[in-house]
Amino acid sequence: MIVAYVDTTSQSFAIGQVTGVLSIFGVAIVLLWRLTRSWRAPSTPAGGDPATTLREERRRRRIIIGLTALIAVGAAMQAVASYNPEPRASEAVATGPVSDGRQADTSRTVVLPDSFAEFRLMTGEAAKQTEAAVLAGRKLPQGMKTGYYDKDGDEDLDLLVMVRSAEWDPKIREEKATKSISQEFLNYFTGAKAHDVTRFDPGQYGGGLACGLSQGLDGDQAVCAWSDATTFGAVRIVQSTTLADAAQTTLTLRNTATH
């Protein structure tokens, strides 16, 4: 979808909206002056006083100038109201207080945990077989790390997490300097063909958290994503769950993985 590549929260998009608003008011001002051209230039009737006509012409001009000023003020107010770009993802900060006691803007790292909540990280041959089945011959994007989690001990995939971080992937820092979190989510959930996408409280580390539903082998599966200034994480929960529960699982994983 082309719309996925149009950042409606960007500064350039906001400037475009402002330009559109000003253009409309600009056209209105031009029409005002053109349509009142003859009215602003009254002629002196036979036997009339040219000085009186000149005073009337000046009075009418002042009226049009006043109306132009009112339109310009209205245009400025509307333009200011329409300029509302979302900050770039790189500007996201922790909302705090952060539980580890460090400052909100402290540099952090992401390490996928061996376990969190009821999930356990698959390792060894089970992880290799699961990754082979998930990728189906495809290669992971450069700079992406994955984790495969089992919930009930049967070594079947119950949760997949994919993480990119500026800590090990310099490109993500460049991307986050140009995209908003909303645009990151739009691109991800569009690619995942997700519906009913909903934003949730991102927790102590700030940024954004959202979940939606995407078609799986046995029906809809929850897909979630979190984003902050240096990290983007995506989660797919294979088992049936609600969006709220999926968001809580993702938040728990994010909090556990962030150090």
Side-chain angles (χ1 to χ4, degrees):
M1 294 177 62
I2 294 177
V3 69
Y5 300 96
V6 178
D7 189 351
T8 58
T9 65
S10 68
Q11 293 179 352
S12 58
F13 187 87
I15 291 173
Q17 287 186 308
V18 169
T19 301
V21 168
L22 293 178
S23 298
I24 293 173
F25 282 95
V27 170
I29 290 174
V30 170
L31 288 176
L32 174 65
W33 281 84
R34 286 193 174 184
L35 295 177
T36 61
R37 181 181 300 170
S38 59
W39 179 78
R40 287 183 285 106
S43 58
T44 304
D49 183 5
T52 301
T53 301
L54 180 59
R55 286 194 295 271
E56 179 63 18
E57 181 178 352
R58 290 173 176 173
R59 185 185 70 84
R60 294 183 182 185
R61 178 178 289 272
R62 285 195 295 269
I63 291 174
I64 299 304
I65 292 175
L67 289 175
T68 300
L70 286 176
I71 294 175
V73 170
M77 294 176 63
Q78 186 64 34
V80 170
S82 66
Y83 184 77
N84 187 33
E86 183 177 320
R88 303 301 84 191
S90 60
E91 300 173 16
V93 296
T95 56
V98 178
S99 59
D100 59 15
R102 291 185 288 174
Q103 296 297 318
D105 59 354
T106 300
S107 178
R108 301 180 187 281
T109 185
V110 175
V111 179
L112 294 180
D114 293 335
S115 64
F116 73 97
E118 299 176 347
F119 293 91
R120 299 294 180 269
L121 181 66
M122 299 168 65
T123 58
E125 190 62 28
K128 291 181 180 179
Q129 292 180 359
T130 299
E131 181 171 78
V134 170
L135 296 181
R138 299 184 299 270
K139 291 185 178 181
L140 282 174
Q142 186 176 2
M144 179 176 289
K145 294 185 178 182
T146 60
Y148 307 96
Y149 286 85
D150 171 29
K151 187 176 182 179
D152 47 22
D154 60 2
E155 293 191 340
D156 286 336
L157 179 66
D158 291 314
L159 182 147
L160 164 65
V161 57
M162 299 176 291
V163 180
R164 295 181 67 203
S165 172
E167 178 191 3
W168 62 76
D169 183 5
K171 289 184 178 180
I172 196 171
R173 194 178 299 278
E174 299 175 6
E175 294 172 7
K176 285 181 172 291
T178 60
K179 291 184 175 66
S180 66
I181 289 177
S182 293
Q183 182 65 19
E184 288 184 317
F185 285 170
L186 176 61
N187 291 345
Y188 169 70
F189 287 110
T190 298
K193 299 180 180 180
H195 59 90
D196 296 333
V197 177
T198 306
R199 295 287 286 261
F200 293 90
D201 183 352
Q204 61 187 359
Y205 293 111
L209 171 65
C211 293
L213 296 174
S214 178
Q215 182 66 38
L217 294 176
D218 299 318
D220 280 341
Q221 298 175 350
V223 288
C224 298
W226 82 80
S227 177
D228 52 45
T230 58
T231 305
F232 184 88
V235 172
R236 178 178 286 270
I237 300 175
V238 177
Q239 296 178 332
S240 177
T241 185
T242 66
L243 290 182
D245 287 343
Q248 184 57 54
T249 296
T250 302
L251 182 60
T252 301
L253 171 58
R254 181 193 186 191
N255 289 344
T256 306
T258 304
H259 301 276

